[in-house]
């Protein structure tokens, strides 16, 4: 546990020493709230609450993909990374620290969303539902953290940033995070259940007391998580083999 906390502290400090990384982590979800939610759903308590949850899932996606996808690929280019792999602690403290650091960045990312929702919308939720929604949000982060790890271990940093962007925004739009949650376009409604972003946001909506998650969306969320876990493990082992072969 002490090794896990030491690695977590190191990675967190390394992240926050680049302020733009922290600012950018919360900017896109908060900006999306201001431009997409406040003007169109801010006066509707149900619509504003669902849309706020969508933006929080967007923040989770952004944090998982960028923190791991870019952070891991940049770390791999540094001489410190292969050295840490030779230490007797093994890979799990570093892996666990990356997950905890991404969750910390997630918390930083959702705070601006909550502030915008509280100040400029009619979104409302009870304390108990808020806690359940937060726990669902942490669960919803799983496939995006794993996809970020896969990208980070599989690609160099210049390629990773492009792949992260090509992954994040289509998944956010296709999953219905940036459209009306009450009445999405027909195309989005047809595509969304097959993307992990839809299963993630429906988990959070259900935790907040709005509906029951679609079965297909939940199944595909589980499939994406399992496939992402396999890909992340494969990419890590391949990178390990390339470095020490």
């Amino acid at each position: 546990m002490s090794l896990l906390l030491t690695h977590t502290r190191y990675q967190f400090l390394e992240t926050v020493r680049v302020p733009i990384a922290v600012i950018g982590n919360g900017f896109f979800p908060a900006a999306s709230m201001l431009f997409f939610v406040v003007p169109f759903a801010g006066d509707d308590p149900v619509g504003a609450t669902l849309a706020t949850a969508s933006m929080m899932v967007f923040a989770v996606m952004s944090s998982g993909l960028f923190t791991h996808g870019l952070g891991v690929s940049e770390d791999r280019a540094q001489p410190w990374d292969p050295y840490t792999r030779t230490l007797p602690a093994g890979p799990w403290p570093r892996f666990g620290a990356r997950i905890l650091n991404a969750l910390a960045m997630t918390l930083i990312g959702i705070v601006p969303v909550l502030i915008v929702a509280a100040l400029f919308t009619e979104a409302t939720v009870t304390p108990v539902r808020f806690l359940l929604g937060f726990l669902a949000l942490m669960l919803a982060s799983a496939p995006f953290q794993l996809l970020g790890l896969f990208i980070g271990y599989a690609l160099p940093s210049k390629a990773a940033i492009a792949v992260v962007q090509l992954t994040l925004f289509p998944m956010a739009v296709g999953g219905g995070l940036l459209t009306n949650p009450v009445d999405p376009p027909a195309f989005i409604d047809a595509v969304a259940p097959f993307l992990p972003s839809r299963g993630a946001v429906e988990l959070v909506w259900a935790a907040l007391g709005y509906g029951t998650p679609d079965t297909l969306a939940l199944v595909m969320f589980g499939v994406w998580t399992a496939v992402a876990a396999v890909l992340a493990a494969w990419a890590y082992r391949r990178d390990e083999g390339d470095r020490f072969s």
Side-chain angles (χ1 to χ4, degrees):
M1 179 61 73
S2 62
L3 286 173
L4 174 62
L5 295 177
T6 299
H7 277 279
T8 302
R9 178 176 176 273
Y10 166 75
Q11 291 187 21
F12 181 77
L13 291 175
E14 190 176 39
T15 301
V16 298
R17 282 172 182 161
V18 184
I20 191 62
V22 180
I23 295 170
N25 193 52
F27 173 78
F28 289 111
S32 298
M33 277 288 294
L34 286 172
F35 292 123
F36 294 106
V37 177
V38 173
F40 303 109
D43 295 331
D44 176 16
V46 174
T49 303
L50 293 176
T52 299
S54 297
M55 291 303 101
M56 292 173 70
V57 172
F58 184 37
V60 163
M61 293 172 59
S62 176
S63 177
L65 289 170
F66 275 102
T67 301
H68 294 317
L70 298 186
V72 172
S73 62
E74 290 176 351
D75 285 349
R76 288 169 51 230
Q78 305 300 320
W80 175 254
D81 185 70
Y83 168 71
T84 60
R85 299 191 188 196
T86 65
L87 299 177
W92 300 115
R94 288 184 294 112
F95 254 104
R98 291 194 187 280
I99 299 297
L100 292 178
N101 184 49
L103 291 177
M105 291 298 104
T106 296
L107 293 177
I108 294 173
I110 66 176
V111 167
V113 173
L114 292 174
I115 292 174
V116 172
L119 294 178
F120 302 111
T121 76
E122 297 298 323
T124 180
V125 66
T126 65
V128 173
R129 285 293 182 181
F130 179 83
L131 178 60
L132 291 174
F134 176 76
L135 295 176
L137 193 66
M138 295 301 100
L139 175 62
S141 73
F144 310 108
Q145 297 223 31
L146 292 167
L147 283 171
L149 287 169
F150 164 61
I151 293 169
Y153 281 116
L155 299 172
S157 58
K158 290 183 179 180
I161 188 170
V163 173
V164 164
Q165 291 171 337
L166 289 172
T167 302
L168 174 63
F169 291 103
M171 279 193 177
V173 174
L177 303 186
L178 303 180
T179 59
N180 186 343
V182 178
D183 185 24
F187 174 75
I188 297 297
D189 204 34
V191 172
F194 297 96
L195 298 174
S197 48
R198 188 63 181 191
V201 77
E202 291 200 6
L203 280 174
V204 179
W205 287 346
L208 295 176
Y210 294 96
T212 302
D214 178 71
T215 301
L216 176 59
L218 283 186
V219 170
M220 293 308 299
F221 177 82
V223 170
W224 275 91
T225 302
V227 171
V230 171
L231 289 174
W234 170 80
Y236 176 81
R237 288 176 183 147
R238 190 196 69 164
D239 185 61
E240 190 90 352
D242 290 345
R243 287 178 180 272
F244 297 103
S245 59

